[in-house]
Amino acid sequence: MLKPQPSLQSQFSSSSTQTPSFLLHKPFLHGNGYSIASLPILSMQYSFHKKNKNVRIASVPGNNIKAVATASTDNGDKATSVKAIVTVKLTVGGFLSSLVIDRDDITDLLGKTLLLELVSAQLDPKTGLEKETIKGYAHWKSQDEGEVKFASGFEVPADFGEVGAIFVENEHRQEMYLKDIILNGFPNGPVNVTCDSWVHSKHDYPHKRIFFANKSYLPSETPEGLRRLRKEELVILRGDGKGERKTHERVYDYDVYNDIGDPDSSDDLKRPVLGGKQYPYPRRCRTGRPRSENDPLSEKRSSNVYIPRDESFSEVKQLTFAAKALYSVLHALVPSLEAAMVDGELGFPYFTAIDSLFNEGVNLSPDHKKAQNKVSLLNTLPRLVNSITQAQDEMLRFETPETMDRDKFFWFRDEEFARQTLAGLNPYSIRLVTEWPLKSKLDPKIYGPQESAITTEMIEQQIKGFCSVKEAISQKKLYILDYHDLFLPFVSKVREIKGTTLYGSRTLFFLTPEGTLRPLAIELTRPPIDGKPQWREVFTPCWDATGLWMWRLAKAHVLAHDSGYHQLVSHWLRTHCCTEPYIIATNRQLSAIHPIHRLLLPHFRYTMEINALARESLINAGGIIESSFSPGKYSMEFSSVAYDQQWQFNLEALPADLLNRGLAVEDPTAPHGLKLTIEDYPFANDGLVLWDTIKEWVSDYVNYYYPNPTAIESDQELHAWWTEIRTVGHGDKKDESWWPVLNTREDLIQIITTIVWVTSGHHAAVNFGQYTYAGYFPNRPTIARNNMPSEEPSEEVFTNFLRKPEGALLQCFPSQLQATRVMVVLDVLSNHSPDEEYLGEAIEPAWAENPHIKAAFERFNGRLKQLEGIIDKRNANRELKNRNGAGIVPYELLKPFSEPGVTGKGVPYSISI
């Protein structure tokens, strides 16, 4: 047995619980003839004294190393032996980055990796003060695939009370990812502490991390021994609003969107600040980066965008799919496409050239020197990129979308154009027509006549034999995609951008007796511009060649409007962007042990990281959205206008949204309390079942923790949370009268259900079908590049149109570079990660510990499985023509579960891509 020399014994008489310093140096052991790496059995024991606690640092045979803190009390009560098992995930960038334990490291060998301190939930009855913590080092115990276990033993006095929290100090110089801590040995069963958190090195930040046990408490019910810690942890998370945030920090604070532009690189990349009176917008997470040199209102851009450390992707997402794949697309593949295409404005010469993207592919490296990043791409994007060894070329070959695979001409058909407003990528825009004639609300002095050019005679000619316009409106048979007032103010500005154009548009549909929609008319409008009066024209399906091709061109413009609105409003604004303030407020105002914090936590995972990546490379000045979608460089400004004019929290609830758009009426006798005006509306039908399922789960949860109204009234954290969401996170709308009040359990259930729906069902419906419906871009062109041939045409333009109308349509479509750039991004965004966390599939540890909540979750899971069967049955019903028919892709976007990949189904908990 190795024993310390007598001259060193004095070092043990210390008031410190730290391991004697001489033990941390290899020379001490090597100098006594020992090699730490080769020690088969090592048994050392040192004891020293601190007040009335004896602490023993020990190493026992078999590499099963333990640190035992032995506590004795004056009254001689018998202590309980407790064993702590700490699970640390192997990570690439943090502690254990080599994926093996360095057995030569004496620091690890003697347990200098993790210092644990048990915190009592009770105060000392004698002093009324918090009890002294019980400390012990955790030592390496074992290694499994992807995880390392550390163990520590404690002797817990009988009067210590319930362990309510654990302090953790990371002694290493690298961060580590703690999964959980389990304390075994207590007579009432184990104490579980779920961490799922990066723990910084004490050398980066000296304050210890605190992790609360899995039992949840309302603020008024918090045990006395945890009250101070509960409040202080929230203070840390709020920060002081000063300085640039560091990578390891966990501070949640608010800022405006002042980092979209890059004025230091170019004046053309300067963008207005979003957030404030002129451009209302939700708030984002503050990074504290310095201000731009050329624009003091803007933040300087950098490749490393701060988000609170625990908001980052899991390593599986980083390494196997989501973040790495999207990052690779944006930073390697897209530049490769740009390098490979000599002319970025070149359109597709023939439709067969579009087909070749799926059959032959795009040569990424005509100059092999430009192919430096391709090898990693082949590994990162196996679905997209197929390596073809021909003359050292590398090809980007796209998978054929399911829509195209089922029906090559699906995109050409009017009935499919109409069907996708109900069962496609953007089911959130179709509205009921309630007034006639259609009228704009814009100033006629600036934008021209308000009344639409679509006349009663035009529509009645289209629906001849069915009913009059008046009857169609009263019978709720007339519907509209209205992109007139929202787009028209941007037309003049967008038309100044080379290679693109814009209109305001209205598209009318008629509900047929079969329950399908039939397109009736498209109105395209250009406001007065360059001294010219307003131009507008109505296009209808017709039976002559010229009129038919004009109709097809008009549809292309409408689809470009719908694509831009979908991406910037239905998708980015209403899910990603508006959710970020909920995440910030939840972490600032609701303690980690608050039951509502734990209910919302899985719905917020990874959203802030994907939003930061979007600000870096998707919605930024000159990014994918601006360069390839309507309305170009004004895209984020357009999103701000939509937020200002359209967004209301109370209308984000699915039932309220349907009622607001006239797609449903209240009916207490109908399922879900609503009667749909279009009975076969796949998104609404499936969505309402999912909404009710979520609401039942939330109701079970809220009613358990808030058994009476008094509990809601007295919850200060809850009210601070809701107030901050309204007045800070969405502060530009703080004075709106439509904000729900929070006084009752029903109020809270509605608020929480709305947030959960937005992060799960709403996002899934507008995201995971992107490649399916837009992968073949003629079905959903993202931008229109040429004006209609009939808008003040030159003789040459109109002659060319008449001679070869297909060419006019191809030139109106996105360029080759725009199309392929969007296609690769949509493919990645439509993918489910291998570690995707689907709604209701796996129970959160804190939920599982409470029998009532666990039972409610099991009911939730069962109802979601039932929804899978309901959707399958609906898709098999031939009477439902909007989801069943020749060549039609079944509507599965709201099926809760999915396998990895581009599947067109699956509802994750959170906005994680």
Side-chain angles (χ1 to χ4, degrees):
M1 178 180 290
L2 173 67
K3 296 182 180 179
Q5 299 176 16
S7 61
L8 299 173
Q9 295 280 5
S10 60
Q11 296 194 36
F12 289 89
S13 299
S14 168
S15 60
S16 172
T17 61
Q18 301 296 315
T19 304
S21 60
F22 71 88
L23 289 177
L24 305 183
H25 300 289
K26 294 180 182 179
F28 164 72
L29 294 174
H30 283 287
N32 286 276
Y34 290 90
S35 170
I36 299 304
S38 64
L39 283 178
I41 298 178
L42 178 65
S43 181
M44 296 181 291
Q45 179 172 303
Y46 303 98
S47 298
F48 49 103
H49 184 70
K50 178 180 179 182
K51 297 184 180 178
N52 17 336
K53 286 191 171 64
N54 293 316
V55 181
R56 185 179 81 247
I57 302 283
S59 177
V60 297
N63 288 339
N64 187 12
I65 307 168
K66 296 182 180 179
V68 181
T70 310
S72 62
T73 60
D74 294 333
N75 59 17
D77 287 342
K78 185 177 181 181
T80 301
S81 295
V82 174
K83 184 178 182 180
I85 301 295
V86 184
T87 302
V88 176
K89 284 189 177 180
L90 295 173
T91 58
V92 172
F95 170 66
L96 308 178
S97 58
S98 64
L99 304 186
V100 295
I101 298 294
D102 182 359
R103 304 303 292 149
D104 287 325
D105 191 337
I106 189 66
T107 303
D108 287 340
L109 187 65
L110 294 179
K112 290 293 289 181
T113 298
L114 284 170
L115 174 62
L116 307 180
E117 297 184 40
L118 307 187
V119 178
S120 174
Q122 284 78 46
L123 298 177
D124 188 322
K126 296 179 181 179
T127 65
L129 303 176
E130 294 171 9
K131 295 180 181 179
E132 190 170 352
T133 60
I134 303 175
K135 300 179 181 180
Y137 279 104
H139 301 253
W140 186 88
K141 180 186 178 187
S142 64
Q143 179 177 335
D144 298 319
E145 184 177 353
E147 295 180 347
V148 172
K149 302 287 186 183
F150 289 79
S152 181
F154 298 90
E155 294 294 322
V156 180
D159 63 353
F160 187 74
E162 181 182 356
V163 174
I166 299 178
F167 279 113
V168 177
E169 186 173 69
N170 175 10
E171 304 283 330
H172 267 258
R173 292 190 176 274
Q174 290 177 302
E175 63 180 358
M176 61 176 66
Y177 190 89
L178 256 64
K179 180 180 178 182
D180 56 37
I181 304 171
I182 300 174
L183 301 177
N184 289 310
F186 290 108
N188 293 328
V191 174
N192 297 308
V193 181
T194 300
C195 305
D196 284 329
S197 177
W198 292 94
V199 179
H200 60 270
S201 164
K202 75 171 186 179
H203 303 285
D204 290 329
Y205 184 62
H207 294 280
K208 302 168 186 173
R209 283 292 306 278
I210 188 167
F211 294 102
F212 294 98
N214 285 359
K215 187 175 181 180
S216 300
Y217 297 99
L218 297 178
S220 61
E221 299 169 348
T222 308
E224 294 292 337
L226 303 179
R227 288 182 180 270
R228 177 185 65 85
L229 298 175
R230 179 174 185 149
K231 293 179 180 179
E232 289 185 355
E233 176 70 356
L234 287 173
V235 171
I236 292 171
L237 292 169
R238 291 171 193 148
D240 59 6
K242 299 177 182 178
E244 184 171 359
R245 299 266 66 93
K246 298 179 176 61
T247 303
H248 67 268
E249 292 181 325
R250 300 161 50 242
V251 173
Y252 295 79
D253 200 2
Y254 298 95
D255 206 346
V256 293
Y257 277 73
N258 59 0
D259 64 341
I260 301 301
D262 189 7
D264 288 347
S265 296
S266 166
D267 287 343
D268 191 52
L269 296 179
K270 183 178 179 179
R271 296 293 181 269
V273 173
L274 304 185
K277 187 175 182 179
Q278 186 175 4
Y279 297 104
Y281 218 57
R283 298 303 188 258
R284 64 166 175 95
C285 183
R286 178 185 175 275
T287 66
R289 290 180 292 187
R291 294 303 174 108
S292 163
E293 296 174 6
N294 294 333
D295 179 14
L297 295 178
S298 296
E299 188 174 85
K300 188 180 288 291
R301 291 177 60 81
S302 61
S303 59
N304 185 21
V305 182
Y306 166 82
I307 58 169
R309 189 64 185 97
D310 288 340
E311 300 299 331
S312 60
F313 284 129
S314 71
E315 294 252 326
V316 174
K317 281 189 178 290
Q318 288 179 340
L319 299 180
T320 63
F321 174 66
K324 186 177 180 183
L326 185 54
Y327 190 89
S328 297
V329 162
L330 297 174
H331 294 272
L333 184 53
V334 168
S336 296
L337 282 169
E338 293 168 351
M341 295 183 182
V342 178
D343 184 356
E345 298 180 14
L346 188 65
F348 288 89
Y350 310 101
F351 276 94
T352 52
I354 300 174
D355 295 341
S356 71
L357 296 174
F358 309 99
N359 302 325
E360 301 168 20
V362 179
N363 189 347
L364 290 178
S365 53
D367 180 353
H368 192 63
K369 294 180 180 179
K370 295 176 181 177
Q372 297 176 356
N373 294 316
K374 309 301 186 305
V375 175
S376 63
L377 282 169
L378 296 175
N379 296 326
T380 306
L381 305 165
R383 183 187 133 81
L384 269 180
V385 184
N386 295 273
S387 181
I388 302 176
T389 309
Q390 291 180 355
Q392 295 183 322
D393 288 345
E394 289 178 359
M395 306 297 292
L396 170 68
R397 191 166 61 197
F398 292 91
E399 293 282 334
T400 303
E402 186 181 358
T403 43
M404 187 69 173
D405 194 45
R406 284 174 175 253
D407 180 358
K408 185 177 181 179
F409 302 103
F410 82 106
W411 66 278
F412 217 49
R413 295 187 285 108
D414 283 353
E415 56 269 32
E416 181 66 9
F417 167 61
R419 189 190 73 86
Q420 287 183 27
T421 65
L422 303 173
L425 192 52
N426 182 32
Y428 272 101
S429 287
I430 189 82
R431 304 182 70 91
L432 178 71
V433 174
T434 57
E435 296 180 356
W436 193 265
L438 302 173
K439 288 190 69 174
S440 168
K441 296 180 181 178
L442 298 175
D443 187 345
K445 295 178 182 178
I446 300 174
Y447 299 105
Q450 292 178 309
E451 187 168 313
S452 170
I454 301 175
T455 65
T456 301
E457 292 73 27
M458 290 177 180
I459 300 305
E460 290 186 345
Q461 185 176 357
Q462 293 291 321
I463 60 174
K464 189 184 304 180
F466 286 106
C467 57
S468 66
V469 167
K470 184 177 180 180
E471 290 169 334
I473 291 175
S474 66
Q475 295 172 21
K476 296 182 169 54
K477 291 186 179 297
L478 210 54
Y479 294 85
I480 187 170
L481 282 182
D482 192 347
Y483 294 127
H484 184 277
D485 284 13
L486 206 57
F487 276 93
L488 204 62
F490 289 91
V491 169
S492 297
K493 293 188 289 186
V494 168
R495 288 191 172 204
E496 294 175 1
I497 304 171
K498 183 181 178 182
T500 190
T501 190
L502 191 64
Y503 293 99
S505 69
R506 298 181 178 102
T507 306
L508 278 178
F509 301 88
F510 178 71
L511 180 62
T512 70
E514 290 79 23
T516 59
L517 289 177
R518 173 183 163 189
L520 299 177
I522 292 173
E523 178 184 23
L524 298 180
T525 304
R526 183 209 68 195
I529 187 173
D530 297 331
K532 302 173 184 176
Q534 182 195 73
W535 176 90
R536 60 185 180 177
E537 189 169 345
V538 179
F539 306 89
T540 59
C542 56
W543 304 100
D544 69 279
T546 301
L548 181 60
W549 274 102
M550 294 290 275
W551 168 251
R552 288 168 179 164
L553 281 164
K555 280 201 303 181
H557 283 275
V558 169
L559 287 165
H561 301 164
D562 194 63
S563 293
Y565 185 89
H566 160 260
Q567 206 64 264
L568 289 163
V569 182
S570 301
H571 186 194
W572 163 255
L573 173 67
R574 291 179 63 180
T575 66
H576 288 261
C577 184
C578 286
T579 294
E580 189 150 336
Y582 310 151
I583 302 172
I584 299 172
T586 298
N587 284 277
R588 287 169 56 88
Q589 300 298 342
L590 296 181
S591 166
I593 54 174
H594 196 293
I596 300 303
H597 184 287
R598 283 180 164 153
L599 175 60
L600 289 173
L601 184 63
H603 298 286
F604 294 157
R605 288 193 182 116
Y606 315 131
T607 301
M608 291 181 76
E609 172 135 354
I610 198 68
N611 286 2
L613 185 56
R615 299 204 313 276
E616 180 189 350
S617 301
L618 285 173
I619 63 171
N620 61 302
I624 299 295
I625 299 297
E626 282 198 0
S627 62
S628 304
F629 282 80
S630 300
K633 65 182 289 185
Y634 302 99
S635 290
M636 291 304 288
E637 189 178 327
F638 172 82
S639 181
S640 168
V641 171
Y643 176 72
D644 181 35
Q645 295 182 7
Q646 297 183 348
W647 188 85
Q648 295 184 198
F649 180 87
N650 61 320
L651 297 182
E652 293 304 288
L654 178 60
D657 169 73
L658 295 172
L659 290 168
N660 179 59
R661 290 190 285 122
L663 270 297
V665 294
E666 293 182 343
D667 183 352
T669 65
H672 323 291
L674 297 178
K675 178 177 175 56
L676 295 178
T677 54
I678 301 177
E679 293 183 11
D680 182 14
Y681 185 1
F683 161 71
N685 280 304
D686 297 354
L688 286 170
V689 179
L690 182 57
W691 168 272
D692 281 357
T693 300
I694 292 170
K695 189 169 186 178
E696 287 178 39
W697 153 242
V698 173
S699 299
D700 287 343
Y701 191 100
V702 167
N703 288 332
Y704 174 80
Y705 282 105
Y706 295 93
N708 55 68
T710 306
I712 295 280
E713 295 169 6
S714 63
D715 191 337
Q716 296 177 345
E717 286 185 8
L718 187 68
H719 289 288
W721 167 78
W722 184 233
T723 298
E724 188 166 285
I725 285 173
R726 292 182 292 109
T727 63
V728 184
H730 285 276
D732 296 333
K733 289 180 171 278
K734 66 179 186 299
D735 297 323
E736 299 286 356
S737 60
W738 42 254
W739 281 106
V741 296
L742 179 49
N743 296 326
T744 67
R745 289 180 298 185
E746 290 70 26
D747 297 337
L748 180 58
I749 289 167
Q750 183 70 8
I751 290 168
I752 298 295
T753 304
T754 300
I755 292 174
V756 169
W757 163 257
V758 167
T759 63
S760 57
H762 180 151
H763 180 259
V766 299
N767 182 76
F768 291 106
Q770 290 194 86
Y771 193 76
T772 300
Y773 286 102
Y776 185 74
F777 72 87
N779 183 56
R780 289 186 66 78
T782 58
I783 199 166
R785 297 191 298 150
N786 291 341
N787 294 341
M788 291 292 294
S790 56
E791 184 195 335
E792 302 168 359
S794 66
E795 185 68 28
E796 180 184 2
V797 168
F798 206 78
T799 299
N800 288 337
F801 163 67
L802 292 176
R803 184 176 62 85
K804 194 171 183 180
E806 175 188 330
L809 182 59
L810 286 165
Q811 289 305 305
C812 186
F813 282 162
S815 69
Q816 294 184 37
L817 178 58
Q818 288 171 326
T820 52
R821 195 161 42 186
V822 170
M823 287 166 70
V824 295
V825 172
L826 295 188
D827 185 89
V828 176
L829 296 180
S830 302
N831 252 290
H832 285 294
S833 172
D835 72 335
E836 192 74 87
E837 300 169 20
Y838 295 102
L839 184 70
E841 185 175 45
I843 192 169
E844 292 288 298
W847 303 345
E849 290 206 11
N850 185 305
H852 182 93
I853 301 301
K854 183 179 180 181
F857 180 84
E858 289 171 351
R859 292 193 296 272
F860 181 44
N861 174 268
R863 287 191 291 265
L864 290 169
K865 290 178 180 177
Q866 289 176 358
L867 175 56
E868 295 244 315
I870 291 171
I871 291 175
D872 287 339
K873 185 176 180 180
R874 287 172 173 172
N875 286 331
N877 185 348
R878 292 186 181 179
E879 297 299 315
L880 301 178
K881 300 183 187 302
N882 289 320
R883 60 196 309 158
N884 183 300
I888 288 178
V889 173
Y891 190 76
E892 297 184 316
L893 288 172
L894 293 177
K895 286 189 76 170
F897 310 115
S898 173
E899 60 275 10
V902 177
T903 64
K905 58 184 175 182
V907 181
Y909 273 108
S910 65
I911 303 164
S912 58
I913 187 64

